[in-house]
Amino acid sequence: MSKVCIPQGYKTPLSVYEMQRAIEFIKSNFQVNLGNALNLRRVSAPLFVEENSGLNDNLNGVERPVSFDIPDVHATGQVVHSLAKWKRLALKRYQFHPGKGLFTDMNAIRRDEVVDNLHSIYVDQWDWEKVILREDRTESYLRQTVRAIMGAVCETNDALDIAFPSLHTRIDRDVYFISTQELEDRFPDLTPKQREDAICREHHTVFLMQIGGNLKRSGQPHDGRAPDYDDWQLNGDILLWNPVLERSFEISSMGIRVDEAALDRQLTASGCDDRRTLPFHRMLLAGELPLTIGGGIGQSRLCMMMIGTCHIGEVQASLWDQETVQTCESAGIMLL
């Protein structure tokens, strides 16, 4: 059964041609605004990494990377899930200084993703990372960075409304900050996803903090987070209220990255001590990598939100099952 839900009376907001123009406008404008807001420079990034490097993102620890052998270099490559670890190593190699960082176009394949209105097996996002000082590893600095990102989002959205007068998407610049424990205490009888919907219905732009550790009431984490990139006490998701789908809508997962102590603590807590021998993890535990903050901002997600589409396939060329295609076509929706 298709997991796609088409809102009653929904119509694609732009023609296929105008949709492509709008996508190009959003992507070119936002990366400039993001770079200016966070002092980032664009760099090139890999599509795959070596299997034993420890650089691939393990996501929730169960997703299988797409792997292939490379006979000429006697190695196995893995198509990236994200560039969370690669970016930190790149900052060291490129000799970035505190207060400066990089962003890149990240294209990934997540073969085990459950596809629906918001999820595809193809992931495209702006991956960014910035060098910080040890005294910047605070919630205050994290909040400051979130506000800067939302400023870039709103500037792009305002420009889009001028360039495409038929679009009228409103995105709130003011961010409501709340931790996962505070959210569980406020809505103890709801599931994590239902809590996100409830808080975004009240406060249209939300930064949900401290994702990864177990919560006090349920004894379970709000959502899964790999133990070796975000510090679970200094991370979070940017969530927006999506009026088309009438639900919360994640556009970014980000955070201040683990230092030596946080990595040591989280590897043990998650039962991943075997990663300590991988090259990336050895460097981090030895204090050889810069302290950073970083994250990913979904390109197709941001286009969905600003244009007002109900399905990610309207803005992203990807592979869909026949039932999903038929469901969308019967509603007059063209999947690219």
Side-chain angles (χ1 to χ4, degrees), residues 21-262:
R21 287 188 57 235
I23 292 169
E24 179 188 11
F25 184 94
I26 293 168
K27 291 187 176 183
S28 61
N29 276 262
F30 180 72
Q31 68 178 16
V32 171
N33 292 335
L34 179 68
N36 291 338
L38 298 183
N39 197 18
L40 308 175
R41 297 297 301 270
R42 189 190 183 283
V43 302
S44 298
L47 175 61
F48 53 89
V49 294
E50 204 275 320
E51 180 182 39
N52 295 322
S53 66
L55 288 176
N56 207 355
D57 185 349
N58 294 90
L59 300 178
N60 294 312
V62 297
E63 294 87 350
R64 299 169 299 159
V66 175
S67 301
F68 58 96
D69 68 298
I70 312 174
D72 196 49
V73 296
H74 309 289
T76 299
Q78 289 184 346
V79 177
V80 296
H81 280 150
S82 85
L83 297 172
K85 299 169 191 170
W86 176 88
K87 292 175 298 180
R88 193 166 180 179
L89 187 60
L91 287 172
K92 174 182 172 66
R93 290 174 173 170
Y94 299 166
Q95 299 180 346
F96 277 75
H97 300 294
K100 297 183 178 181
L102 58 83
F103 76 91
T104 188
D105 286 303
M106 191 281 294
N107 298 289
I109 297 174
R110 297 181 181 175
R111 63 191 292 180
D112 292 322
E113 193 73 80
V114 178
V115 298
D116 55 22
N117 289 64
L118 307 185
H119 298 88
S120 167
I121 61 171
Y122 169 65
V123 179
D124 57 340
Q125 64 184 30
W126 292 282
D127 248 332
W128 65 273
E129 198 84 8
K130 182 177 180 178
V131 181
I132 61 175
L133 299 170
R134 190 165 292 276
E135 52 263 37
D136 294 326
R137 299 190 77 258
T138 64
E139 185 177 308
S140 175
Y141 189 87
L142 177 64
R143 291 184 181 218
Q144 173 187 327
T145 304
V146 171
R147 292 190 182 100
I149 292 172
M150 283 310 304
V153 169
C154 291
E155 288 172 16
T156 302
N157 188 64
D158 291 344
L160 181 71
D161 285 350
I162 295 172
F164 294 81
S166 63
L167 301 179
H168 306 286
T169 300
R170 181 175 179 269
I171 299 177
D172 289 350
R173 185 183 293 261
D174 293 335
V175 184
Y176 182 77
F177 294 87
I178 187 170
S179 70
T180 53
Q181 188 58 63
E182 290 170 332
L183 192 63
E184 184 185 51
D185 292 342
R186 185 166 176 178
F187 303 108
D189 298 326
L190 300 183
T191 67
K193 186 65 194 69
Q194 289 171 338
R195 293 175 208 145
E196 293 182 5
D197 291 343
I199 200 65
C200 285
R201 189 176 289 110
E202 292 183 22
H203 305 277
H204 289 181
T205 300
V206 175
F207 187 64
L208 181 59
M209 301 181 292
Q210 299 177 2
I211 301 174
N214 291 336
L215 301 175
K216 295 178 182 178
R217 289 176 179 269
S218 64
Q220 299 293 323
H222 176 86
D223 197 4
R225 282 295 186 277
D228 43 14
Y229 55 99
D230 286 348
D231 186 323
W232 293 344
Q233 295 301 308
L234 294 168
N235 70 350
D237 290 345
I238 298 178
L239 308 173
L240 305 178
W241 176 252
N242 188 311
V244 176
L245 297 174
E246 296 188 319
R247 54 164 292 176
S248 62
F249 189 83
E250 179 191 326
I251 64 165
S252 177
S253 176
M254 58 172 288
I256 291 174
R257 306 308 197 185
V258 290
D259 60 5
E260 305 92 319

